[in-house]
Amino acid sequence: MGPANPTARMADFDLTPEQRIVRQTVREFAEREILPHVERYEREEKYPLDLIQKLVPLGLIAPMIPQEYGGSFLDVVSYGVICEELARVDWVVASVVSVTNSLVGGSIVRRGTEAQKQRWLPPMARGEILTSACLTEPGCGTDLASMRTTAEKVAGGYRLRGTKVFISHAAHAGLFFVAATLDPSKRHRGVTTFLVDPRSEGIGIGEFPMRTLKRDNLAEVHFDDVFVPDDGLLGEEGGGFPVLGSALDMGRYSVAARCVGQAQRCVELALAYAGEREAFGQKIGEFQMIQSKIADMICRTESARGLVYRLGRMKDAGVERASMEASMAKLVASEAAMSNALDAVQIHGGYGLSAEYEVGRLLLEAKALEFGEGTSELHRKLIAEFALGLRKQ
Ligand SMILES: Cc1cc2nc3c(=O)[nH]c(=O)nc-3n(C[C@H](O)[C@H](O)[C@H](O)COP(=O)(O)OP(=O)(O)OC[C@H]3O[C@@H](n4cnc5c(N)ncnc54)[C@H](O)[C@@H]3O)c2cc1C
């Protein structure tokens, strides 16, 4: 087990006995099977396919996919706890679960035809295919309504043309969830979502080099006249924004939960270091300025966790769209992960940036969490617009 968690009692207070078992099971699994390998995979820039496969027998890869399609279909709070505990040890493995369930699988469950569900969900639940969400483009990330990847209606289907960037898991995916526009001049009313086989003719996958998360093998994906049959349309023509809206609602929930896990890890690593490192004849944890950082780190983590669990309970109670609450959870949790990583590095001194310690890696990985599924600026804007009545749930 890792270092002690002083707020375990509080963190578990809101959970049912079954949800506590989920946390305990995932934590033990993640510490035993994943954590020991993460640093090496990052050094070797190796995608953790074998670690991801270990999720399958425990049903952790498809907690939001209904059992009739082979998933384990747990409650939303348990799903958040799974994302939290996996992210506490590894960004990439947690990302697979989040993309599979919130973005791609969840969109098929909510909007797919029966044939699409039968075709795609069982192999996803068996871990036979991973998925990628292809949304971001070189010219647009936050402003998805200005996307330039086009879908032209042709006999029997559509032709996709354009480029997507920053695509996680793309080189290993067996299914792409793609947003393209039927008519760029229609902005969000033109955006349409598709389920695309990555082996289709005309798809090119190139490297997208990053300074962090090298084990994620981020890619750019080129669509060069790619034919997508009619049965690849997910939802309706021009109906992509509502599909993306529900997907991002759940996506932001799972990313927020991942941020809590990473913030928690920083607390634990900082406590362990502050309790053993000495300066001026005493443990650095006895210095008030170090204590102040630790107190802030713990409070940030618990505030974020409270928002995330409450959002999960809202979803479990049947609230389908909780966009304002999802933005609040994502904003607070991603900033907690980032601030905690900064403080944890500071507490480690220069060793915080040495290859020997995990916290330096967590710093850039926390930064990435402030971008995915909406930047902090976007979430501040959304929260204020909801509050001012300028935007409806
Ligand atoms: C590690 C990683 C993995 C990713 N994985 C995926 C993936 O799998 N699939 C995918 O599609 N994308 C992925 N992304 C992309 C991610 O979703 C985008 O980076 C994000 O949406 C922001 O878009 P952008 O980077 O183009 O920034 P921009 O949208 O260009 O924003 C630049 C800056 O301007 C600010 N800004 C923009 N609009 C406003 C506004 N209205 N008001 C105030 N400020 C504003 C932003 O907050 C930001 O600070 C990933 C990114 C990272 C870092």
Side-chain angles (χ1 to χ4, degrees), residues 13 46 59 108 120 123 205 213 218 250 266 275-276 290 308 329 339 368:
F13 186 76
K46 181 178 167 188
I108 298 173
W120 295 113
I205 299 176
L213 288 166
L218 251 64
M250 275 304 273
C266 289
E276 89 191 16
I290 300 290
V308 172
S339 300

Side-chain angles (χ1 to χ4, degrees), residues 167 169-173 176 198 202-207 217-222:
I167 308 305
H169 321 298
H172 311 275
F176 287 163
I203 291 187
I205 299 176
E207 287 185 16
N217 296 172
L218 251 64
E220 55 182 39
V221 180
H222 304 279

Side-chain angles (χ1 to χ4, degrees), residues 65-66 68-69 104-125 129 131 158 174-178 192-197 228-237 243:
I65 292 183
E68 57 191 297
Y69 301 106
V104 187
S107 296
I108 298 173
V109 170
R110 284 183 295 270
R111 308 284 175 151
T113 62
E114 189 51 37
Q116 287 170 331
K117 290 177 188 173
Q118 297 284 357
R119 176 173 178 194
W120 295 113
L121 296 177
M124 286 166 70
I129 57 168
T131 61
Y158 301 82
L175 172 63
F176 287 163
F177 168 66
V178 183
T192 306
T193 42
F194 297 91
L195 298 172
V196 181
D197 185 338
V228 180
D230 281 328
D231 63 8
L233 175 69
L234 181 66
E236 293 163 15
E237 286 191 357
V243 175

Side-chain angles (χ1 to χ4, degrees), residues 179-231:
T181 177
L182 292 169
D183 180 354
S185 71
K186 287 191 176 159
R187 302 262 310 155
H188 62 278
R189 288 194 189 82
V191 173
T192 306
T193 42
F194 297 91
L195 298 172
V196 181
D197 185 338
R199 292 163 304 181
S200 307
E201 205 180 324
I203 291 187
I205 299 176
E207 287 185 16
F208 193 76
M210 299 285 287
R211 291 203 185 279
T212 180
L213 288 166
K214 291 180 177 293
R215 66 190 184 287
D216 194 9
N217 296 172
L218 251 64
E220 55 182 39
V221 180
H222 304 279
F223 296 88
D224 184 9
D225 237 4
V226 174
F227 179 73
V228 180
D230 281 328
D231 63 8

Side-chain angles (χ1 to χ4, degrees), residues 118-183:
Q118 297 284 357
R119 176 173 178 194
W120 295 113
L121 296 177
M124 286 166 70
R126 290 193 295 267
E128 290 164 11
I129 57 168
L130 302 184
T131 61
S132 286
C134 302
L135 312 179
T136 308
E137 302 184 357
C140 83
T142 306
D143 179 16
L144 281 176
S146 65
M147 68 177 56
R148 286 290 174 268
T149 297
T150 55
E152 183 195 354
K153 185 74 188 99
V154 294
Y158 301 82
R159 291 261 169 210
L160 301 191
R161 300 179 191 97
T163 297
K164 300 287 181 178
V165 289
F166 284 108
I167 308 305
S168 296
H169 321 298
H172 311 275
L175 172 63
F176 287 163
F177 168 66
V178 183
T181 177
L182 292 169
D183 180 354

Side-chain angles (χ1 to χ4, degrees), residues 6 20 25 28 49 81 103 110 113 131 184 197 260 280 295 322 354 366:
R20 286 182 207 168
T25 308
E28 286 172 10
L49 203 49
V81 169
L103 295 184
R110 284 183 295 270
T113 62
T131 61
D197 185 338
V260 171
F280 298 92
S354 78

